[in-house]
Every structure is written in C-alpha cells, then in structure tokens.
C-alpha cells in the first residue's frame, strides 16, 4: 500500500469518527477547533508536506489532496482549519530561507497564517499596498491585510509587502505575532465557520533582517498557489461527494407520486450528473497534484482542477438542496450547511474567474 493510500485511509476514519460528529457544533460556534487540531497533529495532517526531520510526514501534494477530500467530506471548514498549516509550511520551505525553515516544526503545535489578501487587493496581488521600509538592523512593516485564515489564532505570519514598485517589488517577511501584530475580531462568515479569519494590522511592526525570507515574493506566492490549489480542489471534491451521498440517500427514501424520488428521471439525472462531475474532479485533482509532486510545472493543471472542482461542488450542492426540496432549505438537514460551505471554494486561493485567466494564459504560452 502506498503512503498516499495509507494516509488517506487514516484520514477517512478520522473524518467519519471525529469530524462528522463535531461539524455542526463548530460551525454554529464559529471557533477554531483546537482539540481536533491536536488530534490531527498527532496523525500528521497539519504538516503532511514537511520533511520528517522537521516534524512533518514527509509526503507531498498528492497525499495532501487526498486527505483534503476525505476531511472535506465531513466538513470543509474543519478540514481547512486542520490543513492550512501545509500551505504555510510550503511557503516557508520554498522560500529557501534558513530562518523560515526553522519555524516549520512549530506548525505541529501552533498555527501560522499566510497574509497576502488586502482590502484593495484580492485577485490582483500586484496591487497590494502593505509596504516595508528598511531601518537599522531590519525593516518596519506598514499595512492592513484582510480575510487572513488562522489569523485570530496564529503565532506567526508570512506577510507580503512592497519593498519596491510593481509585482517585482513584492517581498515576503516572516513576522511573529509578539512583535506587535494586531489582529481584528474573527470575521463573520457565510460558511466554513470553523476556519476562522480576521483582518491583520501592521503599524510599523519591526522585524530583523533575516525575517525577509524572499525578495521575489510575487513569484513565491504563485509557486505556493500551484501547490495549494490541488488541496482546495480536493476539499471541493469532498464536499461534492458528501452532497451526492446525502441527496442519494434522501432520494432513495423519500416518495413522490407513488415511487421513490430516485426513480423520477428529473431527480435521478441530477444525481448522475453530480457523480460524473465528482469523478472528473478527482481525476483533475490527481493530475495537478501528481505534477506538483514530481516537481513539474503545473500552473495550468492546478487552475483547471481548482476551477472545475469548485464550480462542480457549487453546482452539485445546489442540486442536492433541490432534491431535498423544502427540507433542503432547513438547517436541520445537512445540505443547508454544505450549500453555505461551498461558495467560498470558488473564491479563495484564486477565484474561478482568475483560474480561467490562468488557463487561457498558459494555453497561449504553451502554444507559443
């Protein structure tokens, strides 16, 4: 049995036995799941992509995408809370900074945050306004970040700030919270509420010279996205899988006009379409993750997988609510939460529209 298969089976048991029973409560309370995080850390999930000598599992994007699907089946909010440290570990490792590398083992017990998005710069990364100024012995950071996952609980942040003009002037800094980073209250969210996010304020925060972990910050951010997007696509596949299971189970039991809903073509065809989308999403996720695993360029494949899986999850959960009819609109049934959780999959880690722009750009580049 391959390591990827073994860890996926472990994730499936953990998702069904530990996450499913807790998902509704954490969604309602909208708080970070520290007890579950510690259990997940004991299994290696928050640090799958880090080498064993740094406390990680020594696996890669393929294993991470599979675990994301399994945990996402139970709850994409909990899954994101437990897996996003892998994104932070990736940026620390890919930066090539010895200073950053030393922070990786901390991600088994603490959470880090990837601070890129700003009020005026979401999809347009080059438009960030946070700036860094060189001072004696280091830098001072000024700016404001928003929708930063893990921020309310984070011990440290990877902050992208401008040292110069344009995207080439963007650099990446490793900033410990205790240096004076201010974090706002958790932002109220439509879905995925167990994955908390907040605004981050940097009012002249001082960091030493070694905290500049990458001068080519824009390029680093894009490399990290190409490795993290298969994980997000895996979350989407997991949510779609759950929506299909719930809709199929309900349609097999609920009757209309003297026969089960599933025997009505109008319902049955919806379920068939959901399954076809799920199988296609899984194959696209595997292809994108495998290329990343092998160190091959995967910008095109990652964008395709992320856009298709996120859009398929959104389509599928809308149909699942429709299959449930009036009950689908009630929070007493699971598809209402799935409906709320699905939408952000089309937004974070690059919107579905941005993924299409990447696909077009890569097609033209490869053709040339």
């Amino acid at each position: 049995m391959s390591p990827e298969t073994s860890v996926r089976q472990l994730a499936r048991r953990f998702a069904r036995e530990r996450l499913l029973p807790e998902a509704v409560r954490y969604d309602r309370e909208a708080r970070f799941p520290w007890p579950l995080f510690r259990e997940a850390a004991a299994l290696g999930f928050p640090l799958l992509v880090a080498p064993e000598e740094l406390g990680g599992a020594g696996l890669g994007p393929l294993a991470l995408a599979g675990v994301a699907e399994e945990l996402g089946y139970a709850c994409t909010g909990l899954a994101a809370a437990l897996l996003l440290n892998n994104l932070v570990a990736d940026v620390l490792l890919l930066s090539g900074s010895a200073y950053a590398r030393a922070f990786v083992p901390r991600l088994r017990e603490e959470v880090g945050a990837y601070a890129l998005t700003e009020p005026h710069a979401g999809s347009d990364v080059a438009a960030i306004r946070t700036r860094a100024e060189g001072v004696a012995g280091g830098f001072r950071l000024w700016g404001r970040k928003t929708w930063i996952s893990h921020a309310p609980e984070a011990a440290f942040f990877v902050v992208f700030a401008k040292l110069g003009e344009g995207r080439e002037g963007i650099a990446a800094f490793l900033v410990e919270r205790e240096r004076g980073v201010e974090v706002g209250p958790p932002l109220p969210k439509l879905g995925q509420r167990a994955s908390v996010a907040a605004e981050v304020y940097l009012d002249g925060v001082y960091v030493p010279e070694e905290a500049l972990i990458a001068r080519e910050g824009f390029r680093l951010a894009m490399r990290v996205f190409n490795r993290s997007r298969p994980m997000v696509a895996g979350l989407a596949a997991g949510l779609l899988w759950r929506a299909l299971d719930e809709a199929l189970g309900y349609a097999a039991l609920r009757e209309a006009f003297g026969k089960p809903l599933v025997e009505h073509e109008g319902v049955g065809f919806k379920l068939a379409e959901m399954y076809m989308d799920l199988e296609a999403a899984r194959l696209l996720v595997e292809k994108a993750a495998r290329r990343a695993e092998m160190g091959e360029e995967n910008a095109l494949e990652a964008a395709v997988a992320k856009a298709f899986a996120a859009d398929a999850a959104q389509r599928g959960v809308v149909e699942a609510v429709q299959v449930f009819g009036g009950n689908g609109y009630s929070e007493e049934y699971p598809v209402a939460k799935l409906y709320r959780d699905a939408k952000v999959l089309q937004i974070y880690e690059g919107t579905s529209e941005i993924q299409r722009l990447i696909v077009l750009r890569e097609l033209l580049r490869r053709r040339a």
Side-chain angles (χ1 to χ4, degrees), residues 64-256:
L64 179 56
V67 170
E69 182 180 338
E70 297 295 342
L71 302 189
Y73 179 95
C75 175
T76 51
L78 287 173
L82 303 183
L83 295 179
L84 280 177
N85 264 8
N86 286 283
L87 183 154
V88 179
D90 260 342
V91 72
L92 297 179
L93 294 167
L94 291 173
S95 73
S97 162
Y99 180 78
R101 187 180 176 88
F103 278 72
V104 173
R106 292 175 57 177
L107 293 170
R108 285 188 65 90
E109 298 180 355
E110 301 173 312
V111 294
Y114 187 78
L116 179 61
T117 302
E118 299 184 3
H120 302 283
S123 296
D124 185 5
V125 174
I128 66 169
R129 299 179 182 178
T130 298
R131 70 186 191 278
E133 298 177 353
V135 296
F139 302 87
R140 289 198 179 276
L141 303 179
W142 308 81
R144 172 187 171 197
K145 302 290 184 177
T146 193
W147 289 112
I148 306 305
S149 296
H150 277 179
E153 308 292 335
F156 57 88
F157 303 78
V158 176
V159 176
F160 291 83
K162 283 193 170 179
L163 272 172
E165 298 301 317
R167 71 183 191 180
E168 297 304 320
I170 296 174
F173 296 84
L174 182 52
V175 185
E176 294 179 86
R177 189 189 192 108
E178 62 189 26
R179 291 189 176 276
V181 178
E182 295 184 16
V183 179
L187 293 165
K189 298 166 65 177
L190 173 68
Q192 297 198 15
R193 294 172 178 167
S195 177
V196 294
E199 294 197 328
V200 175
Y201 306 94
L202 302 138
D203 187 15
V205 171
Y206 172 81
V207 294
E209 288 183 359
E210 57 267 29
L212 171 57
I213 62 173
R215 286 193 174 272
E216 295 185 343
F218 181 86
R219 195 164 301 176
L220 174 62
M222 297 304 107
R223 289 180 66 197
V224 171
F225 280 144
N226 289 340
R227 288 174 61 87
S228 65
R229 281 170 180 156
M231 177 190 73
V232 176
L235 293 177
L239 188 147
L240 178 56
W241 180 16
R242 174 74 180 286
L244 174 60
D245 270 4
E246 296 290 351
L248 189 60
Y250 187 85
L253 295 176
R254 184 67 180 252
E255 291 190 355

